[in-house]
Amino acid sequence: MRALDRREFLAGLAVAPVLAAASGTLLGHAALAQAGYNMRPLLPAGDVPLVGMGTARNYQDPQTEEDYAPLRATIARFAELGGRVIDTAPSYGRAEEVLGRLIAETGTRSQLYIATKVGASSAEEGAAQLEQSFAHLQTDFLDLVAVHNLRDLDNQLALLRGAKEAGRIGAVGITTSFKPQYEEFEAVMRREPLGCIQIDYALDNRSAAERILPLAQELGLPVMINLPFGRERLFSATRGVELPGWAADIGATSWAQVFLKYIISHPCRPIAIPGTDRVDYAQDNLGAATGVLPDAALRATMEAFIDAL
């Protein structure tokens, strides 16, 4: 099947919400595939697009309706376009509370895969934090909860597995965004049954591709990618730089799409979760999940291009 071009994809996005509203149902796999999304399985939801969204910083403390309005519109549009995965954490300020309010106001809970974390120092603290997450997110079921930065790992894994057995959590995972934790992270991946991992990876931060991502591929373990824009370094490096000719070969019309297509084209098929707090960002980011992805040769070209800046 030929890849959709950019114009066809945008036309599909315009129609998809109307079709979903008319039928009163969530866009299914066939509709998402027709819209051109590259997808992968993610328990317990099934197939999801390879680009989701993160909420660190962007959702940490809105105060006024003027603050909330663009965030509400972003959540609504993300869901309309078939976006699934939204990642948050108790450590992201008020992000869980804000996200829970916005999801309730937009009526999008059934359309979204909610991933959050537990970052606590004891079993008791972890249990209290988990209950707070359920309350803040205004849901009785969380699709994924991960032990944040491997903190108090054994206690928190036991807590989360208990919640999963009770049917309150769909999957249990681990996260890190710190290279000094990679050795321990790899060891945990090898010894613990996990539903997903989350790690930092970007076009200018490729350390996770040395051992972590290949191991995830070997284990068939889903991966979410945090910090996909390299803590904004990539945007700084490319400010004022025109897109190279090869960007058109993969249908990338913005630097954000270039950076995201690099990530999701890794053979382990990771899900990028860029921070997203504007409607145009949601549309642009999800556009990266469509069409042609870089092959190994183009990935090497992209790496060389960024390294030379």
Side-chain angles (χ1 to χ4, degrees), residues 53-60 75 86-89 92 95-96 99 273-276:
M53 62 176 285
T55 58
R57 296 187 304 278
N58 303 320
Y59 292 72
Q60 67 181 2
I75 298 295
I86 297 187
D87 178 77
T88 190
Y92 298 168
E96 284 189 330
L99 185 58
I273 46 172
T276 310

Side-chain angles (χ1 to χ4, degrees), residues 31-205:
L32 290 176
Q34 187 175 12
Y37 286 119
N38 291 285
M39 297 182 288
R40 70 150 298 136
L42 183 63
L43 293 175
D47 286 340
V48 300
L50 292 182
V51 175
M53 62 176 285
T55 58
R57 296 187 304 278
N58 303 320
Y59 292 72
Q60 67 181 2
D61 198 27
Q63 296 293 320
T64 67
E65 174 55 25
E66 185 177 9
D67 297 330
Y68 273 98
L71 303 179
R72 184 183 301 109
T74 300
I75 298 295
R77 187 60 174 153
F78 179 79
E80 283 179 341
L81 296 178
R84 291 286 191 270
V85 177
I86 297 187
D87 178 77
T88 190
S91 59
Y92 298 168
R94 295 174 48 239
E96 284 189 330
E97 174 192 343
V98 170
L99 185 58
R101 167 180 164 174
L102 296 175
I103 290 173
E105 290 176 351
T106 55
T108 53
R109 174 63 189 98
S110 64
Q111 297 168 252
L112 299 173
Y113 183 105
I114 298 180
T116 191
K117 307 172 185 72
V118 59
S121 299
S122 68
E124 295 74 19
E125 183 183 343
Q129 188 179 88
L130 181 60
E131 293 307 315
Q132 187 177 64
S133 293
F134 281 110
H136 281 168
L137 288 162
Q138 300 187 37
T139 185
D140 58 5
F141 180 80
L142 291 167
D143 297 275
L144 168 67
V145 184
V147 181
H148 204 180
N149 295 327
L150 304 180
R151 185 176 175 187
D152 191 36
L153 182 70
D154 292 338
N155 281 331
Q156 305 313 318
L157 281 179
L159 167 71
L160 297 182
R161 285 178 178 145
K164 184 177 184 295
E165 289 174 4
R168 304 182 73 200
I169 291 174
V172 174
I174 57 174
T175 82
T176 192
S177 56
F178 301 104
K179 190 173 181 180
Q181 289 190 323
Y182 280 14
E183 184 175 354
E184 181 184 2
F185 198 87
E186 180 182 348
V188 176
M189 289 172 64
R190 292 184 181 279
R191 74 170 184 262
E192 300 285 351
L194 300 168
C196 187
I197 65 167
Q198 185 184 131
I199 197 162
D200 58 309
Y201 179 55
L203 185 49
D204 69 339
N205 172 28

